[in-house]
Amino acid sequence: MASKTNNPASGEKYLVFAVTVNPVLGFLIESFAVGKTRNDQFEYGFKKLHLNTYHDYFKEVTPEQKELLGILNQVSDQNLQKRFDRKKQPIRQFYENLEQRMVDDHVRPFIDKILYKAVSYMAEQGIPLYYKGEPAERIRETPLDQQNAFAETCFYFEKLAEKTHYRLLLQYQGKELSLYNQNVSMVLQKPCLLLLNNTILRFEPDWDGKKLTPFFNKEFLEVPASAEKQFYEKFVRKAIASHPFKVKGFEVKVVDSTPGCLLKMEEHWQGHIVFGLYFMYGKDVQFPCHDTSRCKVFFRGISDPIVFEKYIRNQEFEKDIQFFLKKLGL
């Protein structure tokens, strides 16, 4: 529930955090002091506030709300100007002169990082998030549905006779969701935050929202036969290596076994001789011990059938071997 106070100077007010739309920057999350009508609706007479001005409307706020105000203060007008405006011009002129390229390459990535932190904190603490939208719009009374959980994605590839279909399957709280032809907005791109109808969908921090936008207007993407080889070599192979996946019409052979070990005498870049430790999976797949990758995926070419091989490292076994060799003094 929104925090309220009985401040005689302002009447009963509620501290509300809401998604807004800035004409220059795009989606933001801002804090407001707002009253309610007799019908339990938020009034139009809302007042935007921040960390240094909330005392004008509230005698006190909870520690969690104060922490959230501190996070959001990093993307206040004043602090954005301090960070990105070398000319030190008035804030209005700063926004008027702000080029779209500057917003896309620098300002927006910084904002996305801070707002993702804010939304994650709100989900953890159970602080409601509302929707407001454009500057003149009223704050909606129903809070957005947000859970302290990530939306999950799964790449789905289907090989057909003369083409390949590619889709992204989306799951949230055990339910499959579709983005196609829905009321969906990209609030943050990377880290990614989607607003789907009245639900906030939060993704793992490294997920890039660009992968989702094609499916706002299409159920699937179609790859013609002429482009399939490059599509499988690059996009599909990387997706299989890094994300959950499902396939139909071709095969992914997963090799998950105990590897062999290989010690090589090698010349260090400083000139002295060292042992190089490698882990062998199958006949010709090897990982240097310092390699941080979790697997390797090989595409065996466009043929009938198409086959991928995915070699997954046995990291516990590898750690045991390294510990054993260090114990021997190597």
Side-chain angles (χ1 to χ4, degrees):
M1 179 179 289
S3 175
K4 65 180 180 180
T5 182
N6 291 312
N7 187 337
S10 61
E12 187 175 64
K13 295 289 184 183
Y14 292 80
L15 174 57
V16 171
F17 299 93
V19 176
T20 63
V21 179
N22 182 288
V24 177
L25 302 176
F27 285 103
L28 297 175
I29 295 174
E30 297 179 294
S31 48
F32 300 89
V34 58
K36 280 191 173 184
T37 68
R38 293 179 180 178
N39 297 327
D40 209 34
Q41 292 181 321
F42 286 133
E43 296 175 343
Y44 275 99
F46 47 81
K47 300 293 183 181
K48 188 163 75 169
L49 54 84
H50 53 78
L51 182 64
N52 298 322
T53 63
Y54 75 85
H55 294 288
D56 296 339
Y57 306 95
F58 302 100
K59 291 180 179 179
E60 60 181 18
V61 296
T62 68
E64 293 78 15
Q65 290 170 332
K66 189 171 182 180
E67 176 72 18
L68 180 56
L69 286 168
I71 296 172
L72 294 176
N73 192 55
Q74 298 177 70
V75 291
S76 66
D77 292 339
Q78 291 77 12
N79 284 327
L80 287 177
Q81 185 191 24
K82 286 180 183 179
R83 189 178 187 91
F84 297 106
D85 183 16
R86 295 180 180 179
K87 298 179 181 179
K88 306 303 179 186
Q89 55 195 321
I91 289 178
R92 183 175 179 180
Q93 290 183 356
F94 164 64
Y95 281 124
E96 288 176 350
N97 298 329
L98 195 58
E99 296 180 358
Q100 190 61 47
R101 184 175 178 180
M102 181 68 174
V103 174
D104 295 340
D105 294 347
H106 302 285
V107 182
R108 194 65 232 186
F110 174 73
I111 291 174
D112 285 2
K113 182 179 178 181
I114 300 302
L115 294 190
Y116 185 87
K117 180 179 179 181
V119 172
S120 300
Y121 184 77
M122 295 178 78
E124 291 169 5
Q125 300 299 327
I127 301 174
L129 177 62
Y130 295 83
Y131 186 86
K132 180 180 179 296
E134 302 288 341
E137 289 186 67
R138 184 174 57 83
I139 301 170
R140 299 176 188 174
E141 292 77 20
T142 303
L144 299 174
D145 179 18
Q146 61 169 345
Q147 305 293 329
N148 190 21
F150 292 117
E152 299 176 353
T153 56
C154 179
F155 287 79
Y156 179 79
F157 304 101
E158 183 178 3
K159 177 70 178 80
L160 302 173
E162 298 295 331
K163 57 192 174 184
T164 296
H165 283 178
Y166 153 52
R167 289 192 293 153
L168 260 181
L169 306 178
L170 198 61
Q171 192 173 73
Y172 183 65
Q173 296 290 85
K175 297 181 180 179
E176 287 196 2
L177 302 177
S178 173
L179 301 178
Y180 173 63
N181 220 14
Q182 298 292 316
N183 183 18
V184 58
S185 299
M186 183 74 67
V187 180
L188 312 177
Q189 182 174 293
K190 188 177 181 182
C192 181
L193 192 76
L194 284 187
L195 177 57
L196 177 62
N197 298 319
N198 199 56
T199 300
I200 284 288
L201 299 178
R202 185 164 50 106
F203 294 78
E204 293 280 3
D206 59 348
W207 181 261
D208 191 339
K210 283 183 179 179
K211 296 174 182 176
L212 297 168
T213 51
F215 302 99
F216 291 1
N217 301 311
K218 295 182 179 180
E219 286 189 83
F220 57 83
L221 299 182
E222 187 172 289
V223 181
S226 59
E228 280 184 317
K229 186 174 185 297
Q230 184 178 20
F231 178 69
Y232 280 99
E233 282 180 340
K234 296 184 178 180
F235 188 83
V236 178
R237 185 180 62 81
K238 289 182 180 179
I240 290 173
S242 305
H243 302 283
F245 65 90
K246 293 181 180 179
V247 301
K248 186 177 181 180
F250 64 96
E251 185 180 1
V252 178
K253 295 181 179 178
V254 178
V255 181
D256 185 3
S257 60
T258 301
C261 305
L262 179 65
L263 281 175
K264 296 181 182 179
M265 293 185 67
E266 300 174 331
E267 184 175 355
H268 191 266
W269 65 273
Q270 292 180 329
H272 53 270
I273 301 301
V274 297
F275 276 121
L277 174 61
Y278 296 83
F279 297 98
M280 308 294 297
Y281 291 81
K283 295 181 179 179
D284 55 358
V285 180
Q286 61 178 251
F287 294 88
C289 68
H290 58 269
D291 186 347
T292 58
S293 60
R294 298 177 62 88
C295 68
K296 284 185 180 180
V297 177
F298 297 90
F299 172 53
R300 298 309 183 188
I302 290 286
S303 60
D304 188 15
I306 294 173
V307 176
F308 285 87
E309 293 177 357
K310 181 174 183 177
Y311 292 83
I312 302 176
R313 298 176 74 174
N314 187 329
Q315 294 183 313
E316 287 302 316
F317 176 83
E318 292 185 18
K319 288 178 182 177
D320 290 342
I321 293 297
Q322 292 182 63
F323 178 77
F324 172 72
L325 292 175
K326 289 177 180 177
K327 205 172 179 182
L328 293 178
L330 296 180

